[in-house]
Amino acid sequence: MRILVLMKMAPDVVEELEIAPGGTALDLDYVRMILSESDDHALEQALLLKERHGATVTALALDAPEVDDALFTALAKGADRAVKIAGLDAGFPTSQAARAMSQAIAQVPGLSPADLILTGVQAIDDLDGLIAPMVAHALDLPYLGIVTRLSLDASGRTALATKEYPGGVRGEFEVKLPAVLGIQAAEKPPRYVPVAKVRAAMKTQKIDSAPASLPADGGCAAAQVVEMKRNEPAGHAEMLDGDPESVSDKLCGILTGHGLL
Amino acid sequence: MTGSICVFAEQWRGSISEATYEALALGREVADALGVQLTAILTGSNARELAQTLGAADLVVYVDHPLLAETLPQPTAEALAQVLQDRRPRAFIVPLTNVSLGVGTLLALRLGTAGINFCKDVRIAGGRLQAVCVMYGGKIEATVEAAGEPVVLGLWPGARPAEKGRSSRSPVVEEATVSLRDSPVLLRRYVEAEAGDVDLTKQDVLVAVGRGIQSKDNLGLAEDLAKSLGGAVAGSRPVIDQGWLPLSRQVGKSGLSVKPKLYVALGISGAPEHVEGMKDSALIVAVNSDPRAPIFNVAHYGIVADVLETIPVLTAAIEAKRAVARHA
Ligand SMILES: Cc1cc2nc3c(=O)[nH]c(=O)nc-3n(C[C@H](O)[C@H](O)[C@H](O)COP(=O)(O)OP(=O)(O)OC[C@H]3O[C@@H](n4cnc5c(N)ncnc54)[C@H](O)[C@@H]3O)c2cc1C
């Protein structure tokens, strides 16, 4: 059983986001990139399957600031191989990321055939679509998203995947493999790996690098950002300022006014 | 249908989703502004009568196929692409719900046109369609144009009131046929939501905690506050995923939609998937250490502070007030 995990770096929104001069993109100089949260869950789910079924896990990521950290962390957690696709312009859209990944899967030795391709269900910057269905489309593979539980049958040819629906309802699906699944949450929270182990991985393991090969025409039709701005929260909420005591007093007054106290 | 604004009518377990009516409400506005038809495509199996509930549209095209009984992304996108092949709308709106996730992306690829995700509104500028999108967990708003048409727009829930998308009119209903290959993805069964110890939807007051609460050990603070207010504790997704609270306490897209009299959001950023489950609460108070947290966009009152410092002081103030009231 071979499992591929597709990983993408995304801006850490805990940090202040700045708009680049030109007003149509984030200023990447001020952004801290972290592994997209649901990709971390996809990696965890792959590692859980490896523990249960003895699979090999390959993490495939697009070059971006901090991506080496994410890939060495994947190796330290138990991934067998890490591959980085280099050569995309910074700030590439999701559609380009998906095309570069699909090409790499087809061309980089050892990546295909994979039995299972896992990636995060959605990233916060997926403005022109989602990676999982894009890769499934490019490779002509089955796709299912919002997966929170995953097991394999004895033959390894079918997966049983649980998808989230609204209101806490779940759907249990049978998926013929190979397939591409968008993982929402792994069965357990992603494991923690000590920094020392990541450092050790940096010394003893390596990241394979492969050049991005994209179709010359750029592929599919583009969506273009004509303006980007920060949401101005102050516009809506009335902010209560002061030390905890005075803020609490103000709020008590408001709650009383609403008949809630 | 050519030149129209078209909405994907999403049905799930026998009914049309609220998000569909919201999309129809927005679609109606855009179609009227452009002077074109509003159309809808409904896919399903023996679900034709649902088309009657889509009267906000001028025309409903219904596609009946056993493989479309559930909204499996690939067969659904394929069916839609076949229907749209020679009647191309200007825009095709897909509700961004758990039911339809992935359909828009696949349809755009199949049609070879642009997909734009995360839309909360559509504007017309010089005759061109512009999508207003909320990205980066709610922190950034982007105005986006597509190079060609039809543009496939993924619409966040809550763009318009669903009421505005309901109509007692009877739409014209046409049936279309498609040819689909077998699906390698099949639904075996639904597992119903587990009933929790409390029903969040019946509470007057909810104290909701997010990742900002930092550890399970701090949940007691929220419980005390909830108790002082006569309410229950709810959570955002990471709190549930960590196992700090049961799934029956999750508010949002995959959890419950709630409308309490008071919703206190503690250390919750206000991602669109959370907000869609609580935005209709009568009074929303948010405490967050980040002055730019998107939760302040939906809150009526906001406090920029550390929740761990604020909660105990607030609980004490409320209890003091109650004690005074009791003795008065
Ligand atoms: C298909 C799909 C379905 C989803 N369904 C749901 C759903 O049903 N419900 C849901 O909630 N999410 C859902 N999500 C996830 C959603 O996108 C967000 O990731 C999630 O809501 C974030 O939760 P959070 O606000 O607790 O965490 P974060 O976004 O990490 O925010 C934590 C916040 O806490 C603040 N903070 C940190 N420390 C402190 C402190 N000491 N004091 C005060 N504030 C502090 C930070 O400033 C930050 O704003 C879904 C996502 C997808 C893709």
Side-chain angles (χ1 to χ4, degrees):
Chain A
M1 159 90 19
R2 289 215 289 208
I3 306 176
L4 257 183
V5 182
L6 311 182
M7 308 201 313
K8 197 177 86 165
M9 306 302 281
D12 184 355
V13 293
V14 169
E15 312 273 314
E16 187 94 341
L17 300 176
E18 303 283 343
I19 306 293
T24 60
L26 283 190
D27 193 333
L28 296 177
D29 289 345
Y30 292 96
V31 162
R32 195 166 76 99
M33 299 295 268
I34 53 170
L35 179 60
S36 175
E37 188 175 355
S38 54
D39 289 355
D40 199 18
H41 281 268
L43 173 66
E44 181 61 33
Q45 188 60 57
L47 296 172
L48 292 172
L49 290 174
K50 173 179 170 167
E51 285 159 10
R52 289 210 292 264
H53 300 276
T56 61
V57 173
T58 301
L60 176 66
L62 297 159
D63 199 4
E66 317 300 335
V67 74
D68 285 7
D69 260 9
L71 285 172
F72 279 120
T73 302
L75 289 169
K77 284 180 174 183
D80 300 278
R81 186 183 175 199
V83 180
K84 176 170 73 175
I85 307 169
L88 287 183
D89 294 336
F92 49 81
T94 299
S95 53
Q96 226 179 70
R99 277 200 308 277
M101 286 180 164
S102 309
Q103 294 269 346
I105 294 168
Q107 290 169 6
V108 175
L111 294 190
S112 61
D115 301 289
L116 199 51
I117 301 178
L118 304 183
T119 189
V121 58
Q122 172 180 296
I124 51 173
D125 57 355
D126 279 344
L127 186 61
D128 63 349
L130 309 178
I131 293 255
M134 285 177 176
V135 170
H137 179 84
L139 302 177
D140 198 19
L141 292 176
Y143 156 75
L144 186 70
I146 331 185
V147 171
T148 52
R149 202 169 273 272
L150 186 57
S151 59
L152 304 170
D153 74 348
S155 72
R157 261 179 251 136
T158 313
L160 189 65
T162 301
K163 166 179 164 156
E164 279 188 356
Y165 281 92
V169 176
R170 301 290 182 265
E172 284 182 2
F173 286 84
E174 226 170 73
V175 183
K176 289 218 178 86
L177 301 183
V180 185
L181 303 181
I183 302 291
Q184 166 76 266
E187 282 150 38
K188 290 188 206 160
R191 66 195 66 194
Y192 170 77
V193 61
V195 183
K197 251 186 120 178
V198 179
R199 291 226 182 87
M202 286 175 174
K203 285 201 186 108
T204 56
Q205 294 182 271
K206 66 171 178 41
I207 295 170
D208 295 340
S209 208
S213 68
L214 286 177
D217 65 351
C220 72
Q224 199 179 354
V225 176
V226 294
E227 191 195 357
M228 198 178 264
K229 59 179 193 198
R230 298 196 291 195
N231 252 330
E232 292 305 333
H236 191 272
E238 183 182 331
M239 304 307 283
L240 308 177
D241 303 317
D243 56 32
E245 284 74 18
S246 64
V247 163
S248 293
D249 282 346
K250 282 183 206 163
L251 193 53
C252 280
I254 291 161
L255 297 180
T256 306
H258 281 80
L260 291 159
L261 281 187
Chain B
M1 178 163 284
T2 300
S4 74
I5 299 297
C6 187
V7 169
F8 175 53
E10 174 189 270
Q11 53 92 14
W12 185 52
R13 307 186 90 182
S15 18
I16 299 288
S17 68
E18 290 294 290
T20 297
Y21 296 111
E22 296 170 8
L24 285 168
L26 173 64
R28 187 75 260 170
E29 282 176 28
V30 178
D32 290 348
L34 290 169
V36 301
Q37 271 200 328
L38 176 66
T39 57
I41 304 183
L42 170 68
T43 59
S45 178
N46 295 317
R48 193 178 204 274
E49 76 279 6
L50 290 178
Q52 290 310 319
T53 69
L54 303 171
D58 303 300
L59 166 71
V60 179
V61 176
Y62 173 57
V63 193
D64 195 337
H65 195 289
L67 269 180
L68 300 174
E70 303 298 332
T71 307
L72 301 170
Q74 285 163 320
T76 303
E78 178 57 31
L80 294 172
Q82 287 179 25
V83 173
L84 297 177
Q85 197 126 48
D86 37 40
R87 24 186 176 185
R88 297 210 147 198
R90 289 197 61 183
F92 188 85
I93 305 177
V94 183
L96 286 178
T97 67
N98 283 22
V99 174
S100 294
L101 186 111
V103 169
T105 295
L106 289 165
L107 178 62
L109 287 166
R110 183 59 181 69
L111 295 173
T113 61
I116 302 178
N117 214 1
F118 303 155
C119 303
K120 69 155 193 184
D121 208 350
V122 176
R123 284 200 291 248
I124 301 159
R128 293 169 68 89
L129 293 175
Q130 287 187 332
V132 183
C133 302
V134 174
M135 51 192 305
Y136 298 111
K139 282 209 156 174
I140 295 284
E141 189 177 296
T143 305
V144 188
E145 279 184 9
E149 290 178 356
V151 53
V152 180
L153 302 171
L155 187 70
W156 286 120
R160 292 291 184 280
E163 273 326 299
K164 286 195 169 166
R166 289 186 222 275
S167 162
S168 51
R169 283 195 317 171
S170 288
V172 178
V173 182
E174 266 177 29
E175 202 149 328
T177 53
V178 295
S179 115
L180 301 174
R181 59 178 181 176
D182 273 353
S183 173
V185 179
L186 288 175
L187 177 75
R188 285 222 315 215
R189 61 174 191 131
Y190 283 113
V191 181
E192 300 307 324
E194 285 164 34
D197 49 344
V198 279
D199 182 349
L200 290 191
T201 63
K202 299 218 164 73
Q203 300 291 319
D204 281 344
V205 174
L206 287 176
V207 173
V209 293
R211 201 181 337 241
I213 197 79
Q214 289 162 43
S215 95
K216 189 173 182 173
D217 300 341
N218 296 329
L219 274 185
L221 294 176
E223 270 151 21
D224 290 346
L225 176 58
K227 215 164 121 203
S228 74
L229 288 164
V233 175
S236 69
R237 152 145 239 142
V239 170
I240 311 306
D241 282 349
Q242 289 288 337
W244 298 346
L245 283 173
L247 185 56
S248 56
R249 303 285 185 116
Q250 183 171 323
V251 170
K253 198 181 206 71
S254 299
L256 296 164
S257 287
V258 297
K259 285 186 205 174
K261 290 183 184 154
L262 172 64
Y263 191 90
V264 184
L266 304 170
I268 292 179
S269 63
E273 291 91 351
H274 184 80
V275 168
E276 73 174 76
M278 48 65 76
K279 63 179 191 321
D280 296 327
S281 306
L283 184 68
I284 302 171
V285 176
V287 184
N288 197 302
S289 49
D290 176 3
R292 289 198 166 272
I295 192 72
F296 293 130
N297 283 316
V298 283
H300 301 97
Y301 293 96
I303 298 167
V304 177
D306 183 336
V307 284
L308 301 184
E309 275 176 30
T310 308
I311 307 174
V313 179
L314 181 57
T315 306
I318 291 168
E319 273 167 3
K321 190 120 193 163
R322 287 224 192 264
V324 171
R326 266 197 301 274
H327 290 108

